[in-house]
Amino acid sequence: MAFTARAVKVPPNSASLEEARSRVFDFFRTSCRSIPSVMKIYNLDDIVSKSQLRSTIASEIRKNAHITNPKVIDMLLFKGTEELNNILEHAKQRHHMIGQYVVGREGLVQDRDPKDEGMSSFLKNFYKSNYF
């Protein structure tokens, strides 16, 4: 179960941009197929849905959509494959998964508290710098 993506290898060089693009789609499919086992390994059913994880994976891939160099795409695919293997081999802990892929760039829930809106910027900076 945990070693399903081990057979996925990224070849060293893509011959063209189209080949690199097809490898990105293959990686996305592999990642999405491993979502149920990731949810089971890290017990994420109570926090996030499969579709939310799928959209997080898609947004991480779309973040690099502007890249047109096949060698750079291959390097990013290698890094993504290694990350997926680390996740499936349980090399990360649950809070790492929640922080990187569930909460993500939005920040923690307590960081988005509406009662902070009336607070001055001086107090916000003071609390940030003196929070242990």
Side-chain angles (χ1 to χ4, degrees):
M1 159 179 82
F3 300 104
T4 56
R6 230 184 227 284
V8 177
K9 300 284 185 197
V10 177
N13 291 321
S14 294
S16 65
L17 184 61
E18 291 80 23
E19 185 180 349
R21 187 172 184 255
S22 69
R23 288 182 181 162
V24 170
F25 287 131
D26 291 339
F27 172 73
F28 179 71
R29 277 188 221 104
T30 304
S31 301
C32 288
R33 288 178 183 150
S34 64
I35 286 176
S37 60
V38 169
M39 300 271 293
K40 187 176 179 181
I41 291 170
Y42 293 99
N43 194 19
L44 297 175
D45 293 322
D46 56 340
I47 297 173
V48 69
S49 67
K50 293 176 186 175
S51 63
Q52 288 172 327
L53 279 180
R54 192 177 310 113
S55 65
T56 301
I57 293 170
S59 69
E60 289 293 320
I61 290 175
R62 284 189 194 111
K63 188 169 64 174
N64 297 312
H66 64 279
I67 297 173
T68 56
N69 187 350
K71 291 183 180 181
V72 175
I73 294 171
D74 288 338
M75 185 266 312
L76 290 170
L77 278 173
F78 178 76
K79 288 174 70 174
T81 304
E82 287 299 310
E83 179 75 11
L84 181 61
N85 284 337
N86 285 340
I87 289 170
L88 291 174
E89 291 174 0
H90 211 284
K92 292 181 176 275
Q93 294 181 3
R94 186 172 188 256
H95 67 278
H96 296 140
M97 293 295 297
I98 293 170
Q100 289 177 347
Y101 301 107
V102 177
V103 176
R105 294 180 209 96
E106 297 173 6
L108 296 173
V109 174
Q110 61 261 25
D111 291 342
R112 296 182 287 157
D113 198 5
K115 66 181 178 184
D116 290 343
E117 293 173 2
M119 195 181 309
S120 70
S121 62
F122 171 77
L123 284 177
K124 287 181 186 177
N125 292 333
F126 178 78
Y127 289 141
K128 282 183 186 177
S129 64
N130 292 316
Y131 182 72
F132 296 111

